[in-house]
Structure formats: C-alpha cells, structure tokens
Amino acid sequence: MIRYPDGPVEAVMEADALDAMSDVDAMLVRGPLFGVAAQSPEDAPRWRVVVPVTASSPQEARDSLNSWLWFRAKDEAQSRAERRALLAGVARLEKEPVDELSVQDTRYRVVRAEEYAGSGRDGIEQPRATDPEPAVPDWERSVRDRIDDNLLLDPEEPVTPTQAAERLALRALVYAGSRFPEEVCRDSELIRESHPDVLLLPPAFRVVEKDDIGWKTGSGLHASAHEARKTLDFSLTWFAPRQQGLIPWDLPDRTADARAVAAESDEATAGELAEYLRAADRLRTERANQIEVRGTVHRICRARRLLRWGPDGPEGPRPSDTDSHLPDTLHPFLDEDGVVHFDHEGDDSDGADDV
C-alpha cells in the first residue's frame, strides 16, 4: 500500500528522496549483513529485530543471539521453567550453527540483508537534508543510539511513492559477473524466486575513506549521521594520531586525545596534530559530512539495506554465506535458579527438549 505525504514535513522528505533518487546513476552493493529477528504470537505475522542487522557473518549474529538469550535468562526470566527454556536455546547455539530456533512461544531467526549505497556525480551518497539530526549535538562517546532498536518488520506497512519505486526496482537485484563465485550467483537467483518481496530497513550511516587507491570502509554502521561523525571525531583525535606515531599507544593517560597532547608536544608534533584538530573542529562546528586530512578524504555515507521476504517471513543465511568462526561457549554456566557458576565445567545435557 502506498502512503502519500500527509503534511508539509512528509512532503519535504518525499521531495528530498525524489531528488536523491534522480541524482543516483549507480548502486554500489557492499555485501550481506546479518542480524536476528523474533516472531512472538502478539507480533505475528510480523517479525521484530532483537539483534541489529549489522553483523558481517551469520555466526556473529548467532553469537549475539546467544548473549541475548543468556542475559534474558540471567536478568529477566520470571520462573525456572522460562530460564530453563532460554538456557536450552543458549546450549544449542554454543554447539550448532543454527539459523532458527524456538524458545517457548517465540521464533528466533538469523536474517540476511544486503547493504548498498547510491552513487552519483558526487560519488557515494551523503546524508540527506531531511535525515534526523539532534537539535543539540551530544559528543559524549559513551552515549550511543542503538541501530534497529525494537524495529518491527512488516511488509504490509504503507510506504511512500519513492520507497515503493525503490522496492520494485530492487526485486531484480542479483549477484552477477566473474568476480563472484558461481554458488553466490546461483543462490541470489534462487532467492529471487523463494523470497520475491523486498523490505527496506531504515537508512544507516558509516564513515568511508578515499585515498589514492579508492574508497574503503572506515567505520561500522550507525543509527544516524551524527553517530558516524562521533566515530570520525574519535578517529581524528585519538586513534589516527596514535596510528601515525604522533601519540604513543602506551601513554599512561589512555583517554588523552590530540587536544591534550598537542599542548605538551614539540613544535613539529604539535603542528601535525593541529591538522587533525582543525578537521575535528570543523566536523563539530559545521556538522560536516566530508573532510580531508593529510591526503585522505573522510565522508559520512548514507547506507541502505534491503531484506528479502518470502511466504514464511524474512530471508535467512544462504548456503554460500561463509562464517569466520565456529559456535562456542560465550558465557559462564548459569543454572536454572539464575546463579552464575564461573568454575562450572558443564555436562552432557543441552536441554534440547525445552527448545
């Protein structure tokens, strides 16, 4: 169902999206991302994201689900039976690369999305004027917005005309060409038949960097452009000066950034640190989406994600998707009374009947 703009704010956002669409002459597909969605009786047939769709492999998402269930058992379970069921799910995830399991009356599924970005005359798309920005920017690094927080996945939710056009255009997206393995291309063709619908996840933002070689990823995904700027600010004032040897990694004050160190450095070092500080100051005062420091262009990129949908809901991992590691035990033993045992060696029972 198409939802036409209702009011001046939505009309401006739709016009902004239309302008952005007209500027794009190519879609740059970065690759798959993985998260976890849950379907409870009250949400069905919709699914709700419980682990952000940001992981680079299915096993990373499984590990996050492992932790999510373990902490629910530790902190939220209302009875021994509920805790026992949650821990049975943890036990399976410690031993098997399962992509779906049920705990009591809730289904959990590792879901797969494609990350892509628009590219036009000015390169990779930057944040749009209508993307949310805080009225008063908070640069405190310990405060972060959560991406996909409690996001409800509903393919029947009304969409704007530009969203409908993008969903329709992306239905045909497949991997093709000699640089992709044959099984990757085959899976992308098959999934177009089994999961014909496309659901667009909220935009995310990451830092990308361009040097003499080309563009490369400079950060993970963030919920807003401002969160990506905070990461870039940290890189400019803390990480990059250490990486370049301007600040010792073993500096006793581990929190010291370029602002603190420059005042006590020799003239040459202070001059080099000043380049990073000027860029960071511009990032803060102008809410800049692109800066250049010492030959490298740093840009805030507006990333998009699409999730394929079939008769039974969101797509899971494909056979051709690869894992970086195997399932393993992530947390201490937690008994059905909620007591953590740090010296427990485990037993042969995984409580599979409870899952």
Side-chain angles (χ1 to χ4, degrees), residues 22-344:
S22 63
D23 287 340
V24 170
D25 54 31
M27 286 292 186
L28 307 178
V29 179
R30 183 175 180 272
L33 296 169
F34 303 88
V36 179
Q39 186 184 63
S40 61
E42 55 267 28
D43 282 337
R46 301 168 299 177
W47 293 70
R48 191 176 299 274
V49 175
V50 295
V51 171
V53 189
T54 58
S56 59
S57 75
Q59 188 56 47
E60 287 183 45
R62 296 184 200 111
D63 288 346
S64 294
L65 176 58
N66 181 330
S67 292
W68 194 83
L69 294 173
W70 191 89
F71 280 104
R72 279 199 63 194
K74 175 178 173 290
D75 300 327
E76 301 177 27
Q78 300 299 306
S79 66
R80 298 178 72 188
E82 181 183 1
R83 185 175 291 111
R84 191 161 51 242
L86 290 164
L87 291 175
V90 170
R92 282 197 63 190
L93 288 163
E94 289 176 342
K95 297 178 176 64
E96 306 173 43
V98 292
D99 293 327
E100 183 164 339
L101 56 81
S102 294
V103 177
Q104 294 185 311
D105 58 357
T106 300
R107 298 169 67 189
Y108 296 91
R109 176 180 296 175
V110 176
V111 297
R112 183 190 198 277
E114 295 282 1
E115 181 187 347
Y116 64 101
S119 179
R121 291 166 294 179
D122 191 36
I124 299 175
E125 184 182 8
Q126 301 179 49
R128 298 175 185 173
T130 51
D131 286 327
E133 292 277 7
V136 179
D138 181 0
W139 294 94
E140 175 58 47
R141 290 168 184 163
S142 62
V143 179
R144 289 290 186 180
D145 292 336
R146 295 183 59 184
I147 193 169
D148 297 337
D149 190 23
N150 206 36
L151 177 65
L152 190 62
L153 304 177
D154 182 3
E156 301 301 322
E157 183 180 6
V159 295
T160 67
T162 55
Q163 290 171 337
E166 188 170 353
R167 284 173 59 168
L168 183 62
L170 290 171
R171 282 189 174 191
L173 178 66
V174 294
Y175 288 104
S178 58
R179 70 189 185 97
F180 295 108
E182 181 181 344
E183 59 270 22
V184 170
C185 297
R186 181 181 64 249
D187 284 350
S188 70
E189 288 283 358
L190 293 173
I191 211 68
R192 193 167 58 170
E193 302 298 325
S194 62
H195 293 70
D197 293 327
V198 166
L199 186 67
L200 300 180
L201 301 183
F205 302 85
R206 68 163 79 237
V207 180
V208 293
E209 302 172 353
K210 185 179 183 182
D211 52 22
D212 294 336
I213 300 176
W215 290 100
K216 61 182 179 180
T217 298
S219 80
L221 288 174
H222 298 283
S224 69
H226 178 65
E227 291 294 311
R229 291 190 202 103
K230 285 169 66 172
T231 291
L232 179 53
D233 177 78
F234 172 76
S235 177
L236 294 170
T237 61
W238 195 96
F239 182 77
R242 283 169 168 78
Q243 189 180 45
Q244 297 300 318
L246 301 174
I247 299 178
W249 287 103
D250 58 352
L251 188 71
D253 183 358
R254 298 289 295 167
T255 64
D257 65 12
R259 294 181 179 87
V261 176
E264 302 178 1
S265 300
D266 60 69
E267 185 176 347
T269 300
E272 292 186 75
L273 289 174
E275 294 185 55
Y276 291 103
L277 292 176
R278 283 193 295 269
D281 289 342
R282 184 177 164 224
L283 193 71
R284 290 186 175 221
T285 58
E286 301 177 18
R287 297 192 184 186
N289 291 321
Q290 180 169 305
I291 55 175
E292 184 172 351
V293 185
R294 308 185 77 182
T296 298
V297 175
H298 304 265
R299 172 177 290 191
I300 308 300
C301 161
R302 189 182 200 271
R304 310 188 211 176
R305 296 169 296 162
L306 71 91
L307 187 150
R308 290 195 175 274
W309 200 276
D312 191 37
E315 178 191 4
R318 300 174 185 176
S320 55
D321 291 326
T322 58
D323 282 316
S324 57
H325 60 283
L326 297 173
D328 202 354
T329 301
L330 304 179
H331 300 284
F333 179 76
L334 178 69
D335 67 26
E336 61 184 26
D337 293 315
V339 178
V340 179
H341 299 266
F342 292 96
D343 56 352
H344 187 83

